[in-house]
Coordinates of all heavy atoms in Angstrom, one line a residue:
H28 N -36.2 -124.9 -77.8 CA -37.0 -125.9 -77.2 C -38.4 -125.4 -77.0 O -39.2 -125.9 -76.2 CB -36.5 -126.4 -75.9 CG -35.0 -126.8 -76.0 ND1 -34.2 -127.0 -74.9 CD2 -34.2 -127.0 -77.1 CE1 -33.0 -127.3 -75.3 NE2 -33.0 -127.3 -76.6
N29 N -38.8 -124.3 -77.7 CA -40.0 -123.7 -77.5 C -41.2 -124.5 -78.1 O -42.3 -124.5 -77.6 CB -40.0 -122.3 -78.2 CG -41.2 -121.4 -78.0 OD1 -42.2 -122.0 -77.6 ND2 -41.1 -120.2 -78.2
R30 N -40.9 -125.2 -79.2 CA -41.8 -126.1 -79.9 C -43.2 -125.4 -80.2 O -44.2 -126.0 -80.2 CB -42.1 -127.3 -79.1 CG -40.8 -128.1 -78.9 CD -41.1 -129.4 -78.2 NE -39.8 -130.0 -77.8 CZ -39.6 -130.9 -77.0 NH1 -40.7 -131.4 -76.3 NH2 -38.4 -131.4 -76.7
G31 N -43.1 -124.1 -80.5 CA -44.3 -123.4 -80.9 C -45.3 -123.1 -79.8 O -46.4 -122.7 -80.1
L32 N -45.0 -123.4 -78.6 CA -45.9 -123.1 -77.5 C -45.9 -121.5 -77.3 O -45.0 -120.8 -77.5 CB -45.4 -123.8 -76.2 CG -45.4 -125.3 -76.3 CD1 -44.8 -125.9 -75.0 CD2 -46.8 -125.8 -76.4
P33 N -47.1 -121.0 -76.8 CA -47.2 -119.6 -76.6 C -46.2 -119.1 -75.5 O -45.9 -119.9 -74.6 CB -48.6 -119.4 -76.2 CG -49.2 -120.7 -76.0 CD -48.3 -121.8 -76.6
R34 N -45.7 -117.9 -75.6 CA -44.8 -117.4 -74.6 C -45.4 -116.2 -73.9 O -44.8 -115.4 -73.3 CB -43.5 -116.9 -75.3 CG -42.8 -118.0 -76.0 CD -41.5 -118.5 -75.4 NE -40.7 -117.5 -74.8 CZ -39.6 -117.0 -75.3 NH1 -39.1 -117.4 -76.4 NH2 -38.9 -116.2 -74.5
S35 N -46.7 -116.1 -73.9 CA -47.5 -115.1 -73.1 C -48.8 -115.7 -72.7 O -49.2 -116.7 -73.2 CB -47.7 -113.8 -74.0 OG -48.5 -114.1 -75.1
A36 N -49.4 -115.1 -71.7 CA -50.7 -115.5 -71.2 C -51.5 -114.4 -70.7 O -51.0 -113.3 -70.3 CB -50.4 -116.5 -70.0
K37 N -52.8 -114.5 -70.8 CA -53.8 -113.6 -70.3 C -54.7 -114.3 -69.3 O -55.1 -115.5 -69.6 CB -54.5 -112.9 -71.4 CG -53.7 -112.0 -72.2 CD -54.6 -111.3 -73.3 CE -53.8 -110.4 -74.1 NZ -54.6 -109.7 -75.1
L38 N -55.0 -113.7 -68.3 CA -55.9 -114.3 -67.3 C -57.0 -113.3 -66.9 O -56.7 -112.2 -66.5 CB -55.1 -114.8 -66.1 CG -56.0 -115.2 -64.8 CD1 -56.7 -116.6 -65.1 CD2 -55.1 -115.4 -63.6
K39 N -58.2 -113.8 -67.0 CA -59.4 -113.0 -66.4 C -60.1 -113.9 -65.5 O -60.4 -115.1 -65.8 CB -60.3 -112.5 -67.5 CG -59.7 -111.5 -68.4 CD -60.7 -110.9 -69.4 CE -60.1 -109.8 -70.2 NZ -61.1 -109.1 -71.0
A40 N -60.4 -113.4 -64.3 CA -61.1 -114.3 -63.3 C -61.9 -113.4 -62.4 O -61.6 -112.3 -62.1 CB -60.1 -115.1 -62.5
D41 N -63.0 -114.0 -61.9 CA -63.8 -113.4 -60.9 C -63.7 -114.3 -59.7 O -63.9 -115.5 -59.8 CB -65.3 -113.2 -61.3 CG -65.4 -112.2 -62.4 OD1 -64.7 -111.2 -62.3 OD2 -66.3 -112.4 -63.3
V42 N -63.5 -113.7 -58.5 CA -63.5 -114.5 -57.3 C -64.5 -113.9 -56.3 O -64.7 -112.7 -56.2 CB -62.1 -114.3 -56.6 CG1 -62.0 -115.0 -55.3 CG2 -61.0 -114.9 -57.5
T43 N -65.3 -114.8 -55.7 CA -66.3 -114.3 -54.7 C -66.1 -114.9 -53.4 O -65.7 -116.1 -53.2 CB -67.7 -114.6 -55.3 OG1 -67.8 -116.0 -55.4 CG2 -68.0 -113.9 -56.6
A44 N -66.4 -114.1 -52.4 CA -66.4 -114.5 -50.9 C -65.1 -115.2 -50.5 O -65.1 -116.2 -49.8 CB -67.6 -115.4 -50.7
L45 N -63.9 -114.7 -50.9 CA -62.6 -115.3 -50.6 C -62.3 -114.8 -49.1 O -62.4 -113.6 -48.8 CB -61.6 -114.8 -51.5 CG -60.2 -115.4 -51.4 CD1 -60.2 -116.9 -51.8 CD2 -59.2 -114.7 -52.2
D46 N -61.8 -115.7 -48.3 CA -61.4 -115.5 -47.0 C -60.1 -114.7 -47.0 O -59.1 -115.2 -47.4 CB -61.3 -116.8 -46.2 CG -60.9 -116.6 -44.8 OD1 -59.8 -116.0 -44.5 OD2 -61.6 -117.1 -43.9
V47 N -60.1 -113.5 -46.5 CA -58.9 -112.6 -46.6 C -57.7 -113.2 -45.7 O -56.6 -113.2 -46.2 CB -59.2 -111.2 -46.1 CG1 -58.0 -110.3 -46.0 CG2 -60.2 -110.5 -47.0
Q48 N -58.0 -113.7 -44.5 CA -57.0 -114.3 -43.7 C -56.3 -115.4 -44.4 O -55.1 -115.5 -44.5 CB -57.5 -114.7 -42.4 CG -56.4 -115.2 -41.4 CD -57.0 -115.4 -40.0 OE1 -58.2 -115.6 -39.8 NE2 -56.1 -115.5 -39.1
R49 N -57.1 -116.3 -45.0 CA -56.5 -117.5 -45.7 C -55.7 -117.0 -46.9 O -54.7 -117.6 -47.2 CB -57.7 -118.4 -46.1 CG -57.2 -119.7 -46.7 CD -56.5 -120.6 -45.7 NE -56.1 -121.8 -46.4 CZ -54.8 -122.2 -46.4 NH1 -53.9 -121.7 -45.7 NH2 -54.5 -123.3 -47.1
F50 N -56.2 -116.0 -47.6 CA -55.5 -115.5 -48.8 C -54.1 -115.0 -48.4 O -53.1 -115.3 -49.1 CB -56.4 -114.3 -49.4 CG -55.9 -113.8 -50.7 CD1 -55.9 -114.5 -51.8 CD2 -55.4 -112.5 -50.7 CE1 -55.5 -114.0 -53.0 CE2 -54.9 -112.0 -51.9 CZ -55.0 -112.7 -53.1
F51 N -54.0 -114.3 -47.3 CA -52.7 -113.8 -46.8 C -51.8 -115.0 -46.4 O -50.6 -115.0 -46.7 CB -52.9 -112.9 -45.6 CG -53.0 -111.4 -46.0 CD1 -54.1 -110.9 -46.6 CD2 -51.9 -110.5 -45.7 CE1 -54.2 -109.6 -46.9 CE2 -52.0 -109.2 -46.0 CZ -53.2 -108.7 -46.6
E52 N -52.4 -116.0 -45.8 CA -51.6 -117.2 -45.5 C -51.1 -117.9 -46.7 O -49.9 -118.3 -46.7 CB -52.5 -118.2 -44.7 CG -52.8 -117.7 -43.3 CD -53.9 -118.6 -42.6 OE1 -54.4 -119.6 -43.3 OE2 -54.3 -118.4 -41.5
V53 N -51.9 -118.1 -47.7 CA -51.5 -118.9 -48.9 C -50.3 -118.1 -49.6 O -49.4 -118.8 -50.1 CB -52.7 -119.1 -49.8 CG1 -52.3 -119.5 -51.2 CG2 -53.7 -120.1 -49.3
F54 N -50.4 -116.8 -49.6 CA -49.3 -116.1 -50.3 C -48.2 -115.6 -49.3 O -47.5 -114.6 -49.6 CB -49.9 -114.9 -51.0 CG -50.6 -115.3 -52.3 CD1 -52.0 -115.5 -52.3 CD2 -49.9 -115.6 -53.4 CE1 -52.7 -115.9 -53.4 CE2 -50.6 -116.0 -54.6 CZ -51.9 -116.1 -54.6
N55 N -48.1 -116.3 -48.2 CA -47.0 -116.0 -47.2 C -47.0 -114.6 -46.9 O -45.9 -114.0 -46.9 CB -45.7 -116.6 -47.8 CG -44.6 -116.6 -46.7 OD1 -44.9 -116.8 -45.5 ND2 -43.4 -116.5 -47.1
D56 N -48.1 -114.0 -46.6 CA -48.2 -112.5 -46.3 C -47.6 -111.6 -47.3 O -47.1 -110.5 -47.0 CB -47.7 -112.3 -44.9 CG -48.5 -112.9 -43.8 OD1 -49.7 -113.0 -43.9 OD2 -47.9 -113.4 -42.8
F57 N -47.5 -112.1 -48.5 CA -46.9 -111.3 -49.6 C -45.5 -110.9 -49.3 O -45.0 -109.8 -49.7 CB -47.8 -110.1 -50.0 CG -49.2 -110.5 -50.4 CD1 -50.2 -110.5 -49.4 CD2 -49.4 -111.0 -51.6 CE1 -51.5 -110.9 -49.8 CE2 -50.7 -111.4 -52.0 CZ -51.7 -111.4 -51.0
N58 N -44.8 -111.7 -48.6 CA -43.4 -111.5 -48.2 C -43.1 -110.1 -47.5 O -42.2 -109.5 -47.8 CB -42.5 -111.6 -49.4 CG -42.4 -113.1 -49.9 OD1 -42.4 -114.0 -49.1 ND2 -42.5 -113.3 -51.2
Q59 N -44.1 -109.7 -46.7 CA -43.9 -108.5 -46.0 C -44.5 -108.7 -44.6 O -45.1 -109.7 -44.3 CB -44.7 -107.4 -46.7 CG -46.2 -107.6 -47.0 CD -47.1 -107.3 -45.8 OE1 -46.9 -106.3 -45.1 NE2 -48.1 -108.2 -45.5
R60 N -44.1 -107.9 -43.6 CA -44.5 -108.1 -42.2 C -45.3 -106.9 -41.7 O -45.7 -106.9 -40.5 CB -43.2 -108.2 -41.3 CG -42.3 -109.3 -41.7 CD -42.9 -110.7 -41.7 NE -43.4 -111.1 -40.5 CZ -44.4 -112.1 -40.3 NH1 -44.8 -112.7 -41.3 NH2 -44.8 -112.4 -39.1
L61 N -45.7 -105.9 -42.5 CA -46.4 -104.8 -42.0 C -47.9 -105.2 -41.6 O -48.4 -104.8 -40.6 CB -46.5 -103.7 -43.0 CG -47.3 -102.5 -42.7 CD1 -46.7 -101.7 -41.5 CD2 -47.4 -101.5 -43.9
L62 N -48.5 -106.0 -42.5 CA -49.8 -106.5 -42.2 C -49.8 -108.0 -42.5 O -49.6 -108.4 -43.7 CB -50.8 -105.8 -43.2 CG -52.3 -106.1 -43.0 CD1 -52.8 -105.7 -41.6 CD2 -53.1 -105.3 -44.0
I63 N -50.1 -108.8 -41.5 CA -50.0 -110.3 -41.7 C -51.3 -110.9 -41.5 O -52.3 -110.3 -41.0 CB -48.9 -110.8 -40.7 CG1 -49.3 -110.5 -39.3 CG2 -47.5 -110.3 -41.1 CD1 -48.4 -111.2 -38.2
S64 N -51.4 -112.2 -41.8 CA -52.7 -112.9 -41.9 C -53.4 -112.9 -40.5 O -54.6 -112.9 -40.5 CB -52.4 -114.4 -42.4 OG -51.6 -115.1 -41.5
E65 N -52.6 -113.0 -39.4 CA -53.3 -113.0 -38.1 C -54.0 -111.7 -37.8 O -54.7 -111.6 -36.8 CB -52.2 -113.3 -37.0 CG -51.7 -114.7 -37.1 CD -50.5 -114.9 -38.0 OE1 -50.0 -113.9 -38.6 OE2 -50.2 -116.1 -38.3
Q66 N -53.7 -110.6 -38.6 CA -54.3 -109.3 -38.3 C -55.5 -109.0 -39.1 O -56.1 -107.9 -38.9 CB -53.2 -108.3 -38.5 CG -52.1 -108.4 -37.5 CD -51.0 -107.4 -37.9 OE1 -50.4 -107.5 -38.9 NE2 -50.7 -106.4 -37.0
V67 N -55.8 -109.8 -40.1 CA -56.9 -109.5 -41.0 C -58.0 -110.5 -41.0 O -57.8 -111.7 -40.7 CB -56.4 -109.3 -42.4 CG1 -55.5 -108.1 -42.5 CG2 -55.7 -110.6 -43.0
K68 N -59.2 -110.0 -41.2 CA -60.4 -110.8 -41.3 C -61.4 -110.2 -42.3 O -61.3 -109.0 -42.5 CB -61.1 -110.9 -39.9 CG -60.7 -112.0 -39.0 CD -61.6 -112.0 -37.8 CE -62.0 -113.5 -37.6 NZ -62.8 -113.6 -36.4
G69 N -62.2 -111.0 -42.8 CA -63.2 -110.6 -43.8 C -63.3 -111.4 -45.0 O -62.6 -112.4 -45.1
R70 N -64.1 -111.0 -45.9 CA -64.2 -111.7 -47.2 C -64.1 -110.6 -48.3 O -64.5 -109.5 -48.1 CB -65.6 -112.3 -47.3 CG -65.9 -113.3 -46.2 CD -66.3 -114.6 -46.8 NE -66.3 -115.6 -45.8 CZ -65.5 -116.7 -45.7 NH1 -64.6 -116.9 -46.6 NH2 -65.6 -117.6 -44.7
F71 N -63.6 -111.0 -49.5 CA -63.6 -110.1 -50.6 C -64.0 -110.8 -51.9 O -63.8 -111.9 -52.1 CB -62.3 -109.3 -50.7 CG -61.1 -110.0 -51.2 CD1 -60.9 -110.1 -52.6 CD2 -60.2 -110.5 -50.4 CE1 -59.8 -110.7 -53.1 CE2 -59.0 -111.2 -50.9 CZ -58.9 -111.2 -52.3
N72 N -64.5 -109.9 -52.7 CA -64.8 -110.3 -54.1 C -63.8 -109.5 -55.0 O -63.5 -108.4 -54.7 CB -66.3 -109.8 -54.5 CG -67.3 -110.5 -53.7 OD1 -67.2 -111.6 -53.2 ND2 -68.4 -109.8 -53.4
A73 N -63.4 -110.2 -56.0 CA -62.3 -109.6 -56.8 C -62.5 -109.9 -58.3 O -63.1 -111.0 -58.6 CB -60.9 -110.0 -56.4
R74 N -62.1 -109.0 -59.2 CA -62.0 -109.3 -60.6 C -60.6 -109.0 -61.0 O -60.0 -108.0 -60.8 CB -63.0 -108.3 -61.3 CG -62.8 -108.4 -62.8 CD -63.9 -107.7 -63.5 NE -65.1 -108.7 -63.4 CZ -66.3 -108.3 -63.6 NH1 -66.6 -107.1 -63.8 NH2 -67.3 -109.2 -63.5
F75 N -60.0 -110.1 -61.6 CA -58.6 -110.0 -62.1 C -58.5 -110.0 -63.6 O -59.2 -110.7 -64.2 CB -57.8 -111.3 -61.6 CG -57.7 -111.4 -60.1 CD1 -58.7 -112.1 -59.4 CD2 -56.6 -111.0 -59.4 CE1 -58.6 -112.3 -58.1 CE2 -56.5 -111.1 -58.1 CZ -57.5 -111.8 -57.4
D76 N -57.6 -109.1 -64.1 CA -57.4 -109.1 -65.5 C -55.8 -108.9 -65.7 O -55.3 -107.8 -65.5 CB -58.1 -107.9 -66.2 CG -58.0 -107.9 -67.7 OD1 -57.4 -108.7 -68.3 OD2 -58.6 -107.0 -68.3
L77 N -55.1 -110.0 -65.9 CA -53.7 -110.0 -65.9 C -53.1 -110.5 -67.2 O -53.7 -111.3 -67.9 CB -53.2 -110.9 -64.7 CG -53.7 -110.6 -63.3 CD1 -53.3 -111.7 -62.4 CD2 -53.2 -109.2 -62.9
Q78 N -51.9 -110.1 -67.5 CA -51.2 -110.6 -68.6 C -49.7 -110.6 -68.3 O -49.2 -109.8 -67.6 CB -51.5 -109.9 -69.9 CG -51.1 -108.4 -69.9 CD -51.5 -107.7 -71.2 OE1 -52.5 -108.1 -71.8 NE2 -50.8 -106.7 -71.5
A79 N -48.9 -111.6 -69.0 CA -47.5 -111.7 -68.7 C -46.8 -112.4 -69.9 O -47.5 -113.2 -70.6 CB -47.2 -112.4 -67.4
E80 N -45.6 -112.1 -70.1 CA -44.7 -112.9 -71.0 C -43.8 -113.8 -70.2 O -43.6 -113.6 -69.1 CB -43.9 -111.9 -71.9 CG -44.8 -111.0 -72.8 CD -43.9 -110.0 -73.6 OE1 -42.7 -110.1 -73.5 OE2 -44.5 -109.2 -74.2
F81 N -43.4 -114.9 -70.9 CA -42.5 -115.9 -70.3 C -41.2 -116.1 -71.0 O -41.2 -115.9 -72.2 CB -43.3 -117.2 -70.2 CG -44.5 -117.1 -69.3 CD1 -45.7 -116.7 -69.9 CD2 -44.5 -117.4 -68.0 CE1 -46.9 -116.6 -69.1 CE2 -45.6 -117.2 -67.2 CZ -46.8 -116.9 -67.8
N82 N -40.2 -116.4 -70.3 CA -38.9 -116.7 -70.9 C -38.8 -118.1 -71.4 O -39.8 -118.8 -71.4 CB -37.7 -116.4 -70.0 CG -37.7 -117.3 -68.7 OD1 -38.3 -118.4 -68.7 ND2 -37.0 -116.8 -67.7
D83 N -37.7 -118.5 -71.9 CA -37.5 -119.9 -72.5 C -37.8 -121.0 -71.5 O -38.1 -122.1 -71.9 CB -36.1 -120.1 -73.1 CG -36.0 -119.2 -74.4 OD1 -37.0 -118.9 -75.0 OD2 -34.8 -118.9 -74.7
Q84 N -37.7 -120.7 -70.2 CA -37.9 -121.7 -69.2 C -39.4 -121.6 -68.7 O -39.7 -122.2 -67.7 CB -36.9 -121.6 -68.0 CG -35.5 -122.1 -68.4 CD -34.8 -121.1 -69.2 OE1 -34.8 -119.8 -68.9 NE2 -34.1 -121.5 -70.2
Y85 N -40.2 -120.8 -69.3 CA -41.6 -120.5 -68.9 C -41.7 -120.0 -67.5 O -42.6 -120.3 -66.8 CB -42.4 -121.7 -69.2 CG -42.7 -121.9 -70.7 CD1 -41.9 -122.7 -71.5 CD2 -43.7 -121.1 -71.3 CE1 -42.1 -122.7 -72.8 CE2 -43.9 -121.2 -72.6 CZ -43.1 -122.0 -73.4 OH -43.3 -122.1 -74.7
Q86 N -40.7 -119.1 -67.2 CA -40.8 -118.3 -66.0 C -41.3 -116.9 -66.4 O -40.9 -116.4 -67.4 CB -39.5 -118.2 -65.3 CG -38.9 -119.5 -64.8 CD -37.5 -119.5 -64.4 OE1 -36.7 -118.7 -65.0 NE2 -37.1 -120.3 -63.5
P87 N -42.2 -116.3 -65.6 CA -42.7 -115.0 -66.0 C -41.6 -113.9 -66.0 O -40.7 -113.9 -65.2 CB -43.7 -114.6 -64.9 CG -43.4 -115.5 -63.8 CD -42.7 -116.7 -64.3
V88 N -41.6 -113.1 -67.0 CA -40.7 -111.9 -67.1 C -41.4 -110.8 -66.3 O -42.4 -110.3 -66.8 CB -40.5 -111.5 -68.6 CG1 -39.6 -110.3 -68.7 CG2 -39.9 -112.7 -69.4
L89 N -40.9 -110.6 -65.1 CA -41.6 -109.7 -64.2 C -41.9 -108.3 -64.8 O -42.9 -107.7 -64.5 CB -40.8 -109.6 -62.9 CG -40.7 -110.9 -62.1 CD1 -40.0 -110.7 -60.8 CD2 -42.1 -111.5 -61.8
S90 N -41.0 -107.8 -65.6 CA -41.2 -106.5 -66.2 C -42.4 -106.4 -67.2 O -42.9 -105.4 -67.5 CB -39.9 -105.9 -66.8 OG -39.6 -106.8 -67.9
S91 N -42.8 -107.6 -67.6 CA -43.9 -107.7 -68.6 C -45.3 -107.9 -67.9 O -46.3 -107.8 -68.6 CB -43.7 -108.8 -69.5 OG -43.9 -110.1 -68.9
V92 N -45.3 -108.2 -66.6 CA -46.5 -108.5 -65.9 C -47.3 -107.2 -65.8 O -46.9 -106.2 -65.2 CB -46.3 -109.1 -64.5 CG1 -47.6 -109.3 -63.8 CG2 -45.5 -110.4 -64.7
K93 N -48.5 -107.2 -66.3 CA -49.4 -106.1 -66.2 C -50.8 -106.6 -65.8 O -51.2 -107.7 -66.1 CB -49.5 -105.4 -67.6 CG -48.2 -104.8 -68.1 CD -48.4 -104.2 -69.4 CE -47.0 -103.7 -69.9 NZ -47.0 -103.5 -71.3
G94 N -51.5 -105.7 -65.2 CA -52.9 -106.2 -64.8 C -53.7 -105.1 -64.1 O -53.2 -104.1 -63.7
R95 N -54.9 -105.6 -63.8 CA -55.8 -104.7 -63.0 C -56.5 -105.7 -62.1 O -57.0 -106.8 -62.5 CB -56.7 -104.1 -64.0 CG -57.8 -103.3 -63.4 CD -58.8 -102.8 -64.4 NE -59.4 -101.6 -64.0 CZ -59.5 -100.5 -64.7 NH1 -59.0 -100.4 -65.9 NH2 -60.1 -99.4 -64.2
I96 N -56.6 -105.3 -60.8 CA -57.4 -106.0 -59.9 C -58.3 -105.1 -59.2 O -57.9 -104.0 -58.7 CB -56.5 -106.7 -58.8 CG1 -55.5 -107.6 -59.5 CG2 -57.3 -107.4 -57.8 CD1 -54.4 -108.1 -58.5
Q97 N -59.6 -105.4 -59.2 CA -60.6 -104.6 -58.5 C -61.2 -105.5 -57.4 O -61.5 -106.7 -57.7 CB -61.7 -104.2 -59.5 CG -61.3 -103.4 -60.6 CD -62.4 -103.2 -61.7 OE1 -63.1 -104.1 -62.0 NE2 -62.5 -101.9 -62.1
F98 N -61.3 -105.0 -56.2 CA -61.8 -105.8 -55.2 C -62.7 -105.0 -54.2 O -62.5 -103.8 -54.0 CB -60.8 -106.6 -54.4 CG -59.8 -105.8 -53.6 CD1 -60.1 -105.6 -52.3 CD2 -58.7 -105.3 -54.2 CE1 -59.2 -104.8 -51.5 CE2 -57.8 -104.6 -53.4 CZ -58.0 -104.3 -52.1
I99 N -63.6 -105.7 -53.6 CA -64.5 -105.2 -52.5 C -64.4 -106.0 -51.3 O -64.6 -107.2 -51.4 CB -66.0 -105.1 -53.0 CG1 -66.1 -104.3 -54.3 CG2 -66.9 -104.7 -51.9 CD1 -67.4 -104.3 -54.9
L100 N -64.0 -105.4 -50.2 CA -63.8 -106.1 -48.9 C -65.1 -105.9 -48.1 O -65.6 -104.8 -48.0 CB -62.7 -105.5 -48.2 CG -62.4 -106.1 -46.8 CD1 -62.0 -107.5 -46.9 CD2 -61.3 -105.2 -46.1
T101 N -65.6 -107.0 -47.6 CA -66.8 -107.0 -46.7 C -66.5 -107.6 -45.4 O -65.7 -108.5 -45.3 CB -68.0 -107.7 -47.4 OG1 -67.7 -109.1 -47.6 CG2 -68.5 -107.0 -48.7
E102 N -67.2 -107.0 -44.4 CA -66.9 -107.5 -43.0 C -65.5 -107.5 -42.6 O -65.0 -108.4 -42.0 CB -67.6 -108.9 -42.8 CG -69.0 -108.9 -43.1 CD -69.6 -110.3 -43.0 OE1 -69.0 -111.2 -42.5 OE2 -70.7 -110.5 -43.6
G103 N -64.7 -106.5 -43.1 CA -63.3 -106.4 -42.9 C -63.0 -106.0 -41.5 O -63.6 -105.1 -40.9
V104 N -61.9 -106.6 -40.9 CA -61.4 -106.3 -39.6 C -59.9 -106.3 -39.6 O -59.3 -107.2 -40.1 CB -61.9 -107.3 -38.5 CG1 -61.3 -107.1 -37.2 CG2 -63.5 -107.4 -38.5
L105 N -59.3 -105.2 -39.0 CA -57.9 -105.2 -38.7 C -57.7 -105.4 -37.2 O -58.3 -104.7 -36.4 CB -57.3 -103.8 -39.1 CG -57.0 -103.6 -40.5 CD1 -56.5 -102.1 -40.7 CD2 -56.1 -104.6 -41.1
K106 N -56.9 -106.4 -36.8 CA -56.6 -106.7 -35.4 C -55.2 -106.3 -35.1 O -54.3 -106.6 -35.8 CB -56.8 -108.2 -35.1 CG -58.2 -108.6 -35.5 CD -58.4 -110.1 -35.1 CE -57.7 -111.0 -36.1 NZ -57.9 -112.4 -35.9
Q107 N -55.0 -105.6 -34.0 CA -53.6 -105.3 -33.5 C -52.7 -104.7 -34.5 O -51.6 -105.0 -34.6 CB -53.0 -106.6 -32.9 CG -53.8 -107.2 -31.8 CD -53.2 -108.5 -31.4 OE1 -52.3 -109.1 -32.0 NE2 -53.8 -109.1 -30.3
F108 N -53.3 -103.7 -35.2 CA -52.5 -103.0 -36.3 C -52.2 -101.7 -35.7 O -53.0 -100.9 -35.4 CB -53.4 -102.9 -37.6 CG -52.6 -102.3 -38.7 CD1 -51.6 -103.0 -39.3 CD2 -52.9 -101.0 -39.1 CE1 -50.9 -102.4 -40.4 CE2 -52.2 -100.4 -40.1 CZ -51.2 -101.1 -40.8
T109 N -50.9 -101.4 -35.6 CA -50.4 -100.1 -35.0 C -49.4 -99.5 -35.9 O -48.7 -100.1 -36.7 CB -49.9 -100.3 -33.6 OG1 -48.8 -101.2 -33.7 CG2 -50.9 -100.7 -32.6

């Protein structure tokens, strides 16, 4: 049922002035509890360069996900981090 559609993707993106706290919220604190959205503040700029392959149901094959993320945090604050 592939119908000739591509089974891989590449993504390049630049992000500017992203709210770090909101970023953690949107990604559900990256499914971890060590550092959560309520403890971080600031803005960051990032450059993403990612690629992945997909299975027949167009779900990412996690072992194929590769990428590079460069980011700069400005006005960063950690609150109640022990």
Side-chain angles (χ1 to χ4, degrees):
H28 309 168
N29 189 342
R30 299 185 189 163
L32 296 174
R34 300 251 326 253
S35 65
K37 290 183 180 183
L38 170 69
K39 288 185 179 190
D41 290 326
V42 176
T43 57
L45 187 69
D46 182 303
V47 174
Q48 184 172 21
R49 184 72 182 125
F50 187 68
F51 270 70
E52 288 171 359
V53 166
F54 286 97
N55 194 28
D56 294 322
F57 302 96
N58 293 319
Q59 54 84 42
R60 302 302 300 159
L61 178 65
L62 184 61
I63 59 173
S64 62
E65 291 84 9
Q66 296 173 295
V67 294
K68 273 186 130 178
R70 302 234 172 246
F71 77 84
N72 299 327
R74 173 167 282 161
F75 299 87
D76 187 359
L77 306 170
Q78 62 185 29
E80 295 178 8
F81 297 88
N82 64 20
D83 290 337
Q84 289 77 43
Y85 285 94
Q86 298 168 328
V88 177
L89 295 182
S90 63
S91 75
V92 177
K93 297 176 185 163
R95 178 186 205 131
I96 302 173
Q97 299 171 319
F98 67 92
I99 298 172
L100 178 65
T101 58
E102 301 175 17
V104 175
L105 283 177
K106 301 182 287 183
Q107 302 171 355
F108 184 74
T109 57

